[in-house]
Amino acid sequence: MNSYYKDFLIRDWQEGDRISASEVIRSVLAEYGLGWEPDGADRDVLQVEECYLATGGEFWVIEYQNQIVGTGGYYPIKRGEKAVEIRKMYLLPIVRGVGLGKYLLQELEDAIARRGFQQIWIETASVLAEAVKLYESNGYLPATGVETTRCDRVYVKLLTSISDTGN
């Protein structure tokens, strides 16, 4: 993955990104009064190779002026048929409000669809109001079965495969 949105580079995570990516996530969680859980909900960002890359997922970082300012990834889950969960979609406050979140979500969805997945699940917290608005305005439907302690919302989106559209 190597994509540009305005002055932002979205690229594949590299081993040297582990601390910077973790700091972005920890910082955004703290901004909203949510705790950093390195042994729980946030273990995946410390073990990207095991949790994302080895399972058939992807993990990306967003760079602006050579600094990591955001993250996003997905990996396959057993929750549904050909399903993935989008995880760790976080942007620092300085890069919000320019359409980057929507662009990142679309890029993730495109990558997921290209790999033949059919369902995308997302867990979030109501306090992350911008995220909730982003998901709801992009076709994610409320579902049940939250699995992450700090989250109180779960959404699902069904992708139409290319074969379904007759193309």
Side-chain angles (χ1 to χ4, degrees), residues 120-138:
I120 303 174
W121 292 79
I122 295 178
E123 290 193 4
T124 192
S126 295
V127 68
L128 299 170
E130 298 94 336
V132 168
K133 184 177 171 194
L134 177 68
Y135 303 141
E136 290 182 350
S137 65
N138 283 280

Side-chain angles (χ1 to χ4, degrees), residues 109-121:
E109 289 180 2
D110 289 349
I112 288 164
R114 279 194 304 272
R115 290 193 174 195
F117 294 104
Q118 294 176 355
Q119 292 182 8
I120 303 174
W121 292 79

Side-chain angles (χ1 to χ4, degrees), residues 60-126:
W60 302 339
V61 295
I62 299 96
E63 266 187 33
Y64 178 68
Q65 298 178 341
N66 297 315
Q67 299 291 314
I68 293 180
V69 296
T71 60
Y74 68 89
Y75 54 59
I77 56 170
K78 293 183 170 48
R79 188 174 235 167
E81 186 68 29
K82 294 187 179 173
V84 299
E85 182 177 351
I86 287 181
R87 293 182 54 84
K88 299 299 183 276
M89 206 171 126
Y90 290 101
L91 298 174
L92 291 177
I94 55 166
V95 298
R96 292 184 202 146
V98 296
L100 180 59
K102 183 173 182 173
Y103 179 81
L104 177 60
L105 183 61
Q106 186 63 58
E107 289 291 297
L108 285 165
E109 289 180 2
D110 289 349
I112 288 164
R114 279 194 304 272
R115 290 193 174 195
F117 294 104
Q118 294 176 355
Q119 292 182 8
I120 303 174
W121 292 79
I122 295 178
E123 290 193 4
T124 192
S126 295

